[in-house]
Amino acid sequence: MTDRLDDDADDVTRRATGLIHHPYQPPTAFAAPMAGVFKASTVYFENTAAMRSSRWIDKSAYTYGLHGTPTTFLLEERLATLEGGTHALLVPSGLAAITLVDIALLKAGDHVLLPDNGYGPGTRFARDDLARWGITMGLYDAMDPASLAAAITPATRLVWTEAPGSVTLEFPDLPALVRTVREHAPQAKVALDNTWGAGLAFDAFAGAGVDLTIHALTKYPSGGGDVLMGSVVYRDAGLHAKLAWARARLGLGVGVNDVEAILRSLPSMPLRYAAQDAAGRGFAQWCLGRAEFKRVLHPALPDSPGHAHWKALCRAAAGLVTVEFDERYTAAQVDAFVDALQRFKIGWSWGGPVSLAVPYQAAEMRSLPTPYTGTLVRFCLGLEALDDLTADVEQALAALSR
Ligand SMILES: *Cc1c(COP(=O)(O)O)cnc(C)c1O
């Protein structure tokens, strides 16, 4: 061992300082289709006074990666515009958007109402978790505003809506539900799960009149089946103070590479949505001609529940279609049908390029009575050619008679 070897090791590590505090600054003028991706936990302050006075809540400055970067601010502003709100908050999933709204707006002693045909995990959070914190919940029939009026109590502070219903796709009279809340529970906020409409099918604020929306960006905004993210959008500064601070205290951050993926997909979303809407209508029409199906559920079909409400509010219809199999087919036969599908894959979620199918038992999903007695299959249309998808269903229906 010689001293010289030790000196060399020292030289290597001393290069780190020069690499970290490198003087080069690229020219700031850089214009390209995609905005830059800014990643940070730490962000620098000019001095201690700036550290104390910087505010992330109004997007006037940056304080810490959790509270926003240029990349997350950009997506939030675009989503607020898409849905017709003034503010948007990003959270790690659509479900996190639902639970953030519940946690931010409710306290012990409050009551929350949810549609019986709503997104299941949101209902389970209310039933299993909010209940432990002294917040009670109730379910109403989304297709009957009188059922909502009857379920409201003096303690009701939040009413969830969803259009159309989860899996069964009944389209409620959203403006009537909102009017019912204003009349019977003026102290309550109305939240809408806007994932199906995606800010494209109808106007949640100007059209339906809700106070806030949540959106599973996992679906159409991502469009790839490869990102989980959610947003909350609203128009009210008082809501912003509650929701933004609750998000900060809960420590809900999003990965900037995921934000980048959504920023890249967002410009093509209206075109993808229109294509999947057209595929959904064509597929629903084709399903109407099949004797194996007792009912075809799709809001644009005249016989689908709530069609008139859809027609009054909407200009588009997403790419989801649910069929109810005739009762002569057992649940096991319907499973065999789903297993026989080749182009449709079996899996949760929707909005990506690949078509998906999932079987459901309606009775197991609802607390209130439902008209559905047969096994349901929900199809989400991807971006494949429609003829290839109907041919796939046709060949898989042969499995029913095997
Ligand atoms: C998928 C979905 C959610 C939840 O979104 P995740 O990102 O999967 O948590 C909420 N509501 C609706 C209507 C959805 O389709």
Side-chain angles (χ1 to χ4, degrees), residues 65-88:
L66 189 61
H67 304 142
T69 66
T71 312
T72 60
F73 282 3
L74 195 62
L75 181 56
E76 286 179 340
E77 290 300 305
R78 290 182 185 183
L79 292 171
T81 302
L82 169 72
E83 295 198 36
T86 54
H87 299 72

Side-chain angles (χ1 to χ4, degrees), residues 93-96 98 119 162 193 195 214 216 218-219 228-229 350:
S93 68
L95 183 54
I98 294 171
Y119 179 68
E162 191 168 331
D193 186 326
T195 304
I214 73 95
T218 308
K219 309 289 166 52
L228 284 157
M229 201 174 297
W350 31 277

Side-chain angles (χ1 to χ4, degrees), residues 8 23 26 45 58 62 116 138 145 151 207 219 253 274 276 320 322 338 340 355 372:
D8 283 352
F45 300 97
D58 59 0
Y62 305 102
D116 190 43
K219 309 289 166 52
Q276 287 167 324
L320 299 180
T322 297
V338 173
S355 294
Y372 310 110

Side-chain angles (χ1 to χ4, degrees), residues 262-279:
I262 294 182
L263 281 169
R264 193 158 195 260
S265 295
L266 212 52
S268 67
M269 183 173 78
L271 297 179
R272 288 184 281 106
Y273 194 91
Q276 287 167 324
D277 177 344

Side-chain angles (χ1 to χ4, degrees), residues 45-125:
F45 300 97
E46 201 72 46
N47 48 47
T48 50
M51 190 179 86
R52 297 207 176 87
S53 66
S54 294
R55 293 283 170 266
W56 58 268
I57 188 115
D58 59 0
K59 289 189 165 64
S60 61
Y62 305 102
T63 57
Y64 190 56
L66 189 61
H67 304 142
T69 66
T71 312
T72 60
F73 282 3
L74 195 62
L75 181 56
E76 286 179 340
E77 290 300 305
R78 290 182 185 183
L79 292 171
T81 302
L82 169 72
E83 295 198 36
T86 54
H87 299 72
L89 294 173
L90 296 176
V91 290
S93 68
L95 183 54
I98 294 171
T99 59
L100 172 66
V101 170
D102 286 333
I103 291 170
L105 301 188
L106 298 169
K107 62 180 187 320
D110 287 351
H111 177 244
V112 56
L113 283 168
L114 303 100
D116 190 43
N117 62 354
Y119 179 68
T123 305
R124 288 193 282 281
F125 179 73

